[in-house]
Amino acid sequence: MALRALWVLRYDPRAGGAVLFSRRYPTVEMRAEAFNGSTHVAIPSDSDFLKALLFELRLTDDQSFVEHRDTCTRIDHSSVRSVRVEGGDLWPVVAFQKSGLIYACLPLVEETLEPRPPLLTISGLSQGLALLFGILDYISPSRKNEAEMTAKIGQLRNLLIQACPLGTPLNTNISSLNSSFDDIQVTPTDEKQPVWRSNTYKGKPQVNVSITEKVKCMQYDKRDVVDMWQVYGVVNCKCDIEGAAPNVTLTLNLPTNGSPLQDILVHHCVTSVDPAMLMSSSVDPLDDSVYSGPYKFPFVPPSDAFNLCYYTSQVPVPPILGCYQLIEEGSQLKLTVNLKLHESIKNSFEYCEARIPFFNRGPIAHLEYKISYGQLDLSREKSLLVWVIGQKFPKSSEVSLTGTVTFGAAGEEHPTDYVCTGNTAYVKMYFRIPDFTLTGCYVDQHSVQIFAPGKPKITASRELISSDYYIWNSEASAPIMYKSLYY
């Protein structure tokens, strides 16, 4: 369970790619050579790896068809990729893109690479992915501040000495670590205290658990194109409990009609888990294994907040069904948007709005519209309509917007997009529903077991948030998306 290397890369469609951070582990690389034998592929230079990965992710200017990458027999179902470099195919590379940055690592495979072993047998994949998510959580708050982000990336090397010494991930919660060597804890004097529990809490025991589910969706309203949606969940915990190694057991439950959790990844502090929980996968379409819970996690908690587990789920229907029609009539565009809240969804939002952008055009010069509910705002740049639905849908659970838009002359300051050309356009939904999950997943506070002195205070919360929730214009072509395990 080790990593050969990891990278943080930047990609900008105009400026191209750049390597912001890289870390290689020579001792792990020597182990890889021994385990892989003749199938071993050496790691190329950072610049060559960047070029090869961007090509694999289809982020280069060359959009021509490449058989080994673009053939229809190869549809990416996960973030595990094979990157073709000068020495052969570098595999398994874990890589995903978020907010203009690409996070990647190369786990160690402790056997020959031909034939390729099943992904479930490579323990470093889950640990590598968890470490990348930890780096993402550490860097993300600084994405809009270039100086702060540069400073954080500069601290990564020191942080990884603590989090991933000699290529072995020990603590994936990068934000909880100290970038200075002055405050690094020595090995605990209590032999029972694990390395990820850096200090001992004193005070009244309390446990905070939050479940956050994000729903991704691509709706087309076309007979020949299948709509895609999936839920991605994370369970975050903060356990303030006395003792060097307190034992906690937390159980996730589903209602009778709940959607089973799949692709479960657990934090390394979990001491044991039912194998049936880990076998349910969304990657293999022929896999019919279903585990409907309860999902029990015994663990020794770290000192700071941490993500206990990640999961996905394939729910029967998306929370909001939509139809978007955009038709060009002479010098103006005629648009129609219909939205319907599914009857199974809690009709109580913190916020809910639909954003309708217009790319590769001038500013909106004239707008006429009619809405059945909410209010419609025009952005300052006059290139975006924001339909604020508010905190509830009406009793009918349906809302509609119709209107016509006329544009002025286009300038360099107006937004452009390589995909949304012609009438290819979308509506993007933004919403949050507190105290609700799409799967029905919840934490029964009475089922939380803590083997430590004192009666603990237990708080639990949950929420559903939209993420990349698109409704495409049904009157024009649109990019087809396939279900992907991780983004």
Side-chain angles (χ1 to χ4, degrees):
M1 190 171 63
L3 303 180
R4 295 168 59 186
L6 62 85
W7 298 266
V8 178
L9 314 170
R10 187 205 299 271
Y11 173 71
D12 183 274
R14 297 179 179 178
V19 179
L20 299 184
F21 176 84
S22 70
R23 181 73 170 90
R24 297 162 186 257
Y25 297 96
T27 55
V28 182
E29 188 64 15
M30 292 176 63
R31 292 165 58 194
E33 293 177 7
F35 281 123
N36 303 156
S38 61
T39 62
H40 177 263
V41 176
I43 303 174
S45 65
D46 288 343
S47 59
D48 288 343
F49 176 79
L50 171 65
K51 183 178 179 181
L53 183 60
L54 292 180
F55 183 79
E56 170 65 23
L57 297 176
R58 303 175 179 86
L59 296 177
T60 59
D61 293 334
D62 184 6
Q63 298 297 318
S64 58
F65 177 82
V66 179
E67 185 173 358
H68 79 269
R69 182 194 66 182
D70 302 323
T71 176
C72 61
T73 59
R74 180 191 170 191
I75 299 175
D76 295 325
H77 288 292
S78 74
S79 293
V80 180
R81 301 179 179 277
S82 177
V83 178
R84 182 156 294 184
V85 296
E86 184 176 350
D89 289 340
L90 201 62
W91 182 89
V93 175
V94 179
F96 61 87
Q97 186 178 9
K98 188 71 175 179
S99 302
L101 297 183
I102 301 173
Y103 303 83
C105 70
L106 179 61
L108 170 68
V109 180
E110 298 181 348
E111 57 185 293
T112 181
L113 299 178
E114 293 294 342
R116 289 181 179 176
L119 295 181
L120 288 176
T121 65
I122 305 174
S123 58
L125 287 176
S126 59
Q127 288 298 305
L129 188 63
L131 183 62
L132 293 180
F133 275 126
I135 297 174
L136 167 66
D137 293 338
Y138 172 70
I139 294 178
S140 285
S142 308
R143 278 292 296 120
K144 295 182 180 180
N145 187 323
E146 186 70 23
E148 184 179 348
M149 187 184 74
T150 302
K152 282 195 171 185
I153 290 178
Q155 296 168 355
L156 262 183
R157 192 166 298 277
N158 287 349
L159 293 172
L160 286 174
I161 292 176
Q162 306 168 60
C164 189
L166 299 177
T168 302
L170 295 180
N171 189 347
T172 58
N173 188 4
I174 306 297
S175 301
S176 68
L177 301 176
N178 195 309
S179 60
S180 169
F181 287 107
D182 298 336
D183 297 327
I184 296 179
Q185 300 289 325
V186 296
T187 304
T189 56
D190 191 326
E191 294 181 357
K192 296 181 179 179
Q193 182 170 335
V195 292
W196 59 82
R197 194 167 172 80
S198 58
N199 57 64
T200 303
Y201 171 79
K202 297 293 183 182
K204 184 178 179 180
Q206 52 187 355
V207 176
N208 295 301
V209 184
S210 64
I211 303 175
T212 299
E213 288 188 353
K214 295 185 178 181
V215 55
K216 297 176 181 284
C217 187
M218 299 283 279
Q219 297 183 40
Y220 302 96
D221 193 33
K222 294 183 177 182
R223 291 184 179 181
D224 58 339
V225 182
V226 179
D227 294 344
M228 300 296 298
W229 63 89
Q230 193 168 25
V231 173
Y232 301 80
V234 59
V235 180
N236 184 270
C237 297
K238 178 69 167 70
C239 302
D240 294 323
I241 307 171
E242 291 187 359
N247 290 294
V248 180
T249 299
L250 185 146
T251 304
L252 301 180
N253 296 284
L254 295 175
T256 305
N257 60 344
S259 299
L261 309 185
Q262 298 176 306
D263 309 314
I264 297 176
L265 294 176
V266 300
H267 192 274
H268 57 75
C269 72
V270 176
T271 55
S272 64
V273 68
D274 188 335
M277 288 170 46
L278 305 180
M279 295 305 294
S280 183
S281 170
S282 67
V283 177
D284 186 356
L286 301 178
D287 182 9
D288 58 356
S289 58
V290 175
Y291 184 85
S292 299
Y295 305 86
K296 186 171 292 187
F297 301 91
F299 59 94
V300 178
S303 305
D304 298 288
F306 68 102
N307 292 331
L308 176 65
C309 70
Y310 300 89
Y311 63 85
T312 70
S313 183
Q314 188 62 57
V315 295
V317 292
I320 297 177
L321 298 169
C323 175
Y324 179 31
Q325 294 179 328
L326 185 69
I327 303 173
E328 195 161 357
E329 294 184 352
S331 61
Q332 63 183 14
L333 293 179
K334 182 178 180 181
L335 64 94
T336 302
V337 183
N338 295 308
L339 303 175
K340 180 179 181 180
L341 180 69
H342 192 267
E343 58 186 11
S344 64
I345 306 303
K346 179 182 178 182
N347 191 8
S348 179
F349 294 79
E350 179 181 310
Y351 57 85
C352 181
E353 63 183 40
R355 299 185 184 181
I356 311 170
F358 296 95
F359 297 101
N360 308 311
R361 301 178 187 273
I364 295 176
H366 182 70
L367 171 65
E368 293 184 3
Y369 67 90
K370 179 180 179 181
I371 54 175
S372 64
Y373 193 78
Q375 68 180 51
L376 189 67
D377 297 325
L378 177 62
S379 69
R380 181 181 301 178
E381 298 79 12
K382 296 185 178 181
S383 59
L384 173 70
L385 297 179
V386 180
W387 182 10
V388 180
I389 298 169
Q391 297 181 326
K392 281 184 176 292
F393 272 68
K395 289 184 178 181
S396 64
S397 298
E398 298 183 24
V399 293
S400 63
L401 160 67
T402 57
T404 56
V405 184
T406 305
F407 299 92
E412 293 183 358
E413 70 277 8
H414 293 98
T416 59
D417 188 271
Y418 297 106
V419 175
C420 295
T421 58
N423 287 346
T424 298
Y426 61 80
V427 174
K428 189 173 184 180
M429 300 297 302
Y430 293 82
F431 58 83
R432 177 181 182 269
I433 307 179
D435 194 28
F436 180 81
T437 53
L438 203 53
T439 60
C441 183
Y442 67 96
V443 175
D444 183 358
Q445 300 182 28
H446 300 290
S447 69
V448 179
Q449 298 177 335
I450 300 177
F451 302 95
K455 185 178 181 180
K457 177 184 178 182
I458 300 173
T459 58
S461 62
R462 55 183 186 163
E463 62 179 353
L464 175 67
I465 302 175
S466 63
S467 175
D468 297 335
Y469 202 106
Y470 293 95
I471 302 169
W472 289 91
N473 177 21
S474 61
E475 300 296 325
S477 59
I480 308 300
M481 296 295 290
Y482 296 96
K483 182 174 66 176
S484 178
L485 180 56
Y486 299 108
Y487 289 83

